[in-house]
Amino acid sequence: MKPLILIVGYLVVVTLPLAISWWVGGPPRQFQQELASGMGILAFSMVLIEFILSGRFKAISNGVGLDVTMRLHQIMARTALVFALLHPFLYQGTPSGGQRPWDPTRALTITTDFSALSSGIAAYLLLPSLVVLAIGRTQLGFKYETWRLLHGVGALLIAMLLWHHTVNAGRYGSQPVMSWVWLAMTGLAIGSLLSVYLLVPLLQKARPWRVTSVARLTPRQWEVTVKPDGHRGLDYKAGQFVWLNVGNSPFSLKENPFSICSAPAAGPELSFMIKELGDFTRTIGQIRTGTVAYLDGAYGNLSLDGRTEPGVALIAGGVGLAPLLGILRQMRLTGDSRQVKVIYGNRIIDQIAYREELDAENVFYVLQEPPETWHGETGFIDSALIDRVFTEIEFSEWVFVMCGPAIMMDTVEDHLIERGTPSQRILSERFSYD
């Protein structure tokens, strides 16, 4: 239900400038010209709301999941691109308009004043580049920090160019009411960007953390633990994640999202299970105790708080164990007596982390490449394995929480729904899309 509320709210806000433009009105024009204006208005409003969707606002993301807001962000960016690309090709007639001596009735749509058109042309060229760069970031080999800087600066430049073009060249945008609407929406968009890059770092600077330990879990997985330095710590729910910045200025772009594998009931220290993958994670073992760290969070809705199902299924692939381990630890520390089953998949046996702790639970280990002495499950976490582990009653009554590779979660979610598990009892968060 919450994702539906987000989508409905999004549609209301995005179409508001279109509705006000229709209310402002003007001399009748051909349908194709009205369609062109409508697409331009929608494209601009979508671009501005993209700033809000990507702004890490907990009131939005924690209600539906940051993965849902980011997926909506991606889909709507591509939709806005289509509208923007079609917008200029739908106009008909001689290009003139606005408050010009040759068009006092403002019956036409755009102006021959190149200064008003140039900003729209620049945005027209930049927007596809921004979207393509976002889609192909991994293939193009950009470092995350470099891409994030380019993405933020590019989005800000596009917003400013579109504002100038809309209020100077648009038939509706130059109306006093619409000029104020666009100014307010552009101000909110820029404000959300400043919140992420300026306000949040300022707040982080006043609440530093210190690394207390760095421990190797497996050949390529580490546990990093931090404690609050001069403050009481972080309010969070088991299963949530934060953006972690270790050893850099709070204004640095070198921060990464990591799930918390410790439990709130264990105290103010936070632990993270981190796998060596990128530039930062490959240097985890070099971090010294006492190093300053900054946290932005907590985010996510992968939480059992307030849920009353009689059993809990935790399904993890690789480092996806981290948030589920936090949930499991919280249940044990708070005396939660519900039955728990854990499925934990890895490629090889050396990748299994926290085995001593997990062996005390009802756990099913799965290995893709098992040794000859292996007596556990083999292959992948698939529908056949799920059917062997869970009963009909558990499918219908338990809550299923999962984290891991996208293909694993797709397979498990589809099968759970086929077996009659209500969608509201399937919890997951995704951070990798096409």
Side-chain angles (χ1 to χ4, degrees), residues 200-386:
V200 170
L202 284 173
L203 296 175
Q204 290 176 344
K205 189 174 181 61
R207 294 172 58 85
W209 295 69
R210 295 285 175 179
V211 175
T212 58
S213 69
V214 178
R216 186 187 293 273
L217 299 172
T218 71
R220 294 187 60 196
Q221 295 181 113
W222 300 80
E223 182 185 75
V224 177
T225 302
V226 299
K227 69 175 182 180
D229 184 6
H231 55 95
R232 67 183 188 87
L234 180 72
D235 290 326
Y236 71 100
K237 300 176 182 178
Q240 290 189 303
F241 70 93
V242 301
W243 290 82
L244 178 64
N245 174 346
V246 179
N248 302 294
S249 162
F251 297 94
S252 169
L253 297 180
K254 294 181 179 180
E255 57 175 359
N256 297 273
F258 294 112
S259 294
I260 305 169
C261 66
S262 52
E269 286 194 337
L270 302 181
S271 294
F272 305 93
M273 177 184 176
I274 302 175
K275 182 178 180 179
E276 294 181 15
L277 289 173
D279 295 331
F280 165 69
T281 55
R282 282 196 291 266
T283 64
I284 291 293
Q286 303 172 19
I287 296 175
R288 297 178 178 272
T289 57
T291 300
V292 68
Y294 298 100
L295 274 60
D296 178 21
Y299 296 101
N301 64 347
L302 201 68
S303 168
L304 296 185
D305 285 22
R307 305 196 69 99
T308 58
E309 288 86 354
V312 178
L314 303 175
I315 304 173
V319 75
L321 175 68
L324 309 191
L325 186 62
I327 291 173
L328 184 62
R329 288 171 167 173
Q330 180 71 1
M331 292 180 68
R332 297 303 173 244
L333 288 173
T334 57
D336 193 322
S337 60
R338 285 180 290 181
Q339 186 177 355
V340 177
K341 290 183 179 180
V342 181
I343 298 178
Y344 178 27
N346 285 286
R347 185 175 61 85
I348 59 176
I349 193 170
D350 286 346
Q351 293 175 336
I352 298 176
Y354 301 102
R355 186 164 186 177
E356 184 176 342
E357 180 178 353
L358 291 173
D359 281 346
E361 306 294 336
N362 189 5
V363 60
F364 300 83
Y365 296 107
V366 187
L367 293 182
Q368 298 173 29
E369 301 174 12
E372 293 182 0
T373 57
W374 181 252
H375 299 292
E377 297 286 347
T378 61
F380 297 90
I381 300 176
D382 55 17
S383 56
L385 173 63
I386 298 299

Side-chain angles (χ1 to χ4, degrees), residues 11-255:
L11 292 175
V12 169
V13 175
V14 163
T15 56
L16 179 63
L18 189 65
I20 298 176
S21 296
W22 176 81
W23 173 69
V24 170
R29 297 183 302 172
Q30 295 180 1
F31 170 76
Q32 191 168 329
Q33 291 202 357
E34 293 293 353
L35 181 61
S37 292
M39 283 191 168
I41 292 169
L42 286 175
F44 186 23
S45 59
M46 285 180 175
V47 167
L48 295 178
I49 301 304
E50 292 291 275
F51 286 80
I52 308 297
L53 290 177
S54 62
R56 302 186 196 171
F57 294 105
K58 296 178 184 178
I60 300 174
S61 63
N62 285 8
V64 298
L66 190 62
D67 59 329
V68 175
T69 61
M70 291 308 297
R71 186 53 168 165
L72 183 62
H73 170 76
Q74 291 176 321
I75 293 173
M76 291 301 103
R78 299 172 194 184
T79 304
L81 176 61
V82 172
F83 287 170
L85 293 179
L86 291 175
H87 161 68
F89 292 103
L90 292 174
Y91 285 116
Q92 294 178 344
T94 304
S96 66
Q99 295 181 350
R100 304 289 184 238
W102 57 84
D103 184 29
T105 62
R106 298 161 51 84
L108 299 174
T109 307
I110 57 176
T111 175
T112 52
D113 185 351
F114 184 73
S115 65
L117 293 177
S118 60
S119 53
I121 295 171
Y124 188 88
L125 297 174
L126 283 174
L127 184 58
S129 302
L130 193 73
V131 174
V132 170
L133 183 60
I135 295 174
R137 174 176 66 89
T138 303
Q139 293 83 348
L140 293 171
F142 278 92
K143 289 184 177 181
Y144 171 74
E145 295 83 7
T146 303
W147 168 81
R148 185 181 172 194
L149 178 62
L150 291 174
H151 196 70
V153 172
L156 177 62
L157 182 58
I158 288 171
M160 297 301 295
L161 289 170
L162 288 177
W163 175 81
H164 178 269
H165 175 70
T166 300
V167 300
N168 287 281
R171 181 199 195 204
Y172 296 108
S174 59
Q175 293 278 5
V177 173
M178 286 306 303
S179 294
W180 282 107
V181 169
W182 289 124
L183 182 62
M185 291 184 66
T186 304
L188 287 174
I190 296 174
S192 69
L193 196 67
L194 293 176
S195 172
V196 172
Y197 289 97
L198 183 60
L199 178 60
V200 170
L202 284 173
L203 296 175
Q204 290 176 344
K205 189 174 181 61
R207 294 172 58 85
W209 295 69
R210 295 285 175 179
V211 175
T212 58
S213 69
V214 178
R216 186 187 293 273
L217 299 172
T218 71
R220 294 187 60 196
Q221 295 181 113
W222 300 80
E223 182 185 75
V224 177
T225 302
V226 299
K227 69 175 182 180
D229 184 6
H231 55 95
R232 67 183 188 87
L234 180 72
D235 290 326
Y236 71 100
K237 300 176 182 178
Q240 290 189 303
F241 70 93
V242 301
W243 290 82
L244 178 64
N245 174 346
V246 179
N248 302 294
S249 162
F251 297 94
S252 169
L253 297 180
K254 294 181 179 180
E255 57 175 359

